[in-house]
Every structure is written in C-alpha cells, then in structure tokens.
Amino acid sequence: MRTVLLSAAAVLLATGCGGGSGGDAENGDRPTGRPSHGAAPAVDRTRVPGVGDALWSRVPADSRQIVVVYGKGVDSGDATVALYTRHGRNWRQERDWPAHNGKRGWTTRHQEGDKRSPVGVYTLSDAGGVLPDPGAALPYAANPAFAAPHYWPKTHWHDFDYVIAIDYNRVKGTSPLDPTRPEGQSKGGSIWLHMDHGSGTSACVSLSKAGMEYLLTHLDPAAHPVVVMGDRAHLAG
C-alpha cells in the first residue's frame, strides 16, 4: 500500500501542484435606498465583496463559509486569500493572508501543465499533508507520501506539509493524493490550497503555514465550505 501511495504521489506532484521541474508545486437586512450626496455607497453585507453575479450564483445556498482567492491580475501569480463566514443573512470577513496562484495567472479553461489556476467555485471536502492532523474538521489524511521531492529547490520542500483539496476534477471523500480525474487527465487536477514558497505555483493556491492552520481548524463540513477563486476581473464578472 505504501508503494502505491508513493507512486500516486509522484504522479500528482508531476501533474498537479507539483508541476514539472523546479517545483510549484452582523446580522440585519440588506441596505436599501440611495446614499446621501457625498456619502460612501452602502455596503451589501449579504454578498461577499468583489464577487459578481456569475460566480455568486454558483455558491450553494447552504454554504456558510467561503474562501475567496482574489487574484491580482489575469496573468499574475500574486493573490490574497480571505475567509468569510455567514451570520444570519450577512457575510463577515474573518481573516485574510497574502497568497499565490498559478505562476502564469488564471484561466476559465484550465489544462494540465498550463501553469494557470482555474477560475470558479469549488467545494472543499478533504485535507491532508505530511504533518499530523492539526485538529481539522475536514477529513485529514496524514501521509509522508505528500512530501515534495528533494530534487526540487529547498524552498519548496514544505509546500505540502498541509493541504486542502480544491474539488476541481477530483473525487470527493478521498485523500487529496487520489489521482482519479473524472473529467479526464487533460483537464488537470490536484489543485490544492497548500503552504507558500514565496512565488507562483503550477496551478494551486498557496498561503502561509499560519493561514493553512487557521483554515484547517476553522473550515467545517457542516458549513459546506467552498472556494471562490479567480483574478479580480473574472471574480467581478
């Protein structure tokens, strides 16, 4: 079994977050009426800021936790990750962290190896990593098979100490290491939230260890968490 998992991990690291050579791996009602002259526009707290109708319509009605990845630009690898929770009808930001996405930016038609992160809304169902479970509510699979290859730069060795699988072209309810691609290998996979190495990834989203620990210990399956991700223009569309 260990040999199978290690083999699966090697495939994932080559085709997903790992990339190729070099690694990469409040409560109340909605405001109404017009603001008075010179006043700031009213804030609609029933929506997460920066997310337009196209993507907002894809957020499940029962979701009470949203991780938003605000990409700096369509061709940029820089981003901000923010966690929002719903209280009554209103959404409140809990935390945010500097982050990175695919080194070539974003795409609405992700393909394996394009070094761009997929724009969209995806559920968050499973987690894991090299390190022991930090107290995650999501199912957590601790396994040394997550370890990044040591022929990668040393700065990348801890990328997968903590991982949250983004449910893009994967089977929910399995370890993030599961190599199954329901929509085919060409559409890529192994798109994860994982620990940051200071620059863009192959397609994943990366943030600090502290950020990953916070998400792992606060994301709750009962709150039906999702990630809404993309560059700011696509998010607002």
Side-chain angles (χ1 to χ4, degrees):
M1 177 60 73
R2 176 177 170 83
T3 301
V4 172
L5 285 173
L6 289 172
S7 298
V11 171
L12 292 175
L13 294 175
T15 61
C17 285
S21 61
D24 286 328
E26 10 148 32
N27 294 323
D29 295 328
R30 176 173 178 166
T32 58
R34 297 175 180 237
S36 60
H37 180 70
V43 176
D44 181 0
R45 300 185 187 279
T46 68
R47 295 274 293 262
V48 168
V51 179
D53 292 344
L55 290 180
W56 189 253
S57 66
R58 294 166 54 184
V59 174
D62 59 357
S63 179
R64 291 183 284 111
Q65 290 182 317
I66 298 179
V67 177
V68 184
V69 184
Y70 295 102
K72 182 177 180 179
V74 68
D75 296 320
S76 172
D78 296 328
T80 298
V81 166
L83 173 64
Y84 294 85
T85 59
R86 182 159 59 87
H87 302 267
R89 296 182 59 203
N90 294 345
W91 290 90
R92 182 175 69 201
Q93 181 177 318
E94 304 294 343
R95 294 285 193 282
D96 63 63
W97 305 270
H100 291 95
N101 51 264
K103 62 177 63 178
R104 293 180 181 171
W106 297 89
T107 179
T108 57
R109 296 184 179 182
H110 177 64
Q111 296 292 308
E112 184 176 336
D114 65 9
K115 308 297 184 185
R116 291 180 179 269
S117 297
V119 175
V121 178
Y122 308 101
T123 53
L124 300 170
S125 305
D126 303 283
V130 176
L131 296 178
D133 185 348
L138 295 174
Y140 186 93
N143 195 313
F146 279 98
H150 276 207
Y151 59 79
W152 286 7
K154 191 172 182 178
T155 53
H156 295 59
W157 288 1
H158 295 283
D159 281 13
F160 312 131
D161 281 1
Y162 288 132
V163 164
I164 299 172
I166 294 171
D167 293 335
Y168 169 90
N169 197 19
R170 70 176 299 269
V171 179
K172 298 181 187 180
T174 65
S175 166
L177 290 173
D178 185 345
T180 306
R181 304 286 177 263
E183 299 178 55
Q185 195 69 28
S186 66
K187 294 198 69 173
S190 298
I191 310 297
W192 298 341
L193 294 164
H194 66 67
M195 284 171 48
D196 192 56
H197 55 249
S199 61
T201 69
S202 283
C204 295
V205 174
S206 62
L207 61 156
S208 66
K209 181 179 181 180
M212 286 299 299
E213 287 176 335
Y214 189 92
L215 292 178
L216 283 166
T217 56
H218 286 78
L219 291 178
D220 182 358
H224 307 284
V226 299
V227 59
V228 181
M229 52 194 284
D231 59 281
R232 290 187 179 271
H234 276 109
L235 287 177

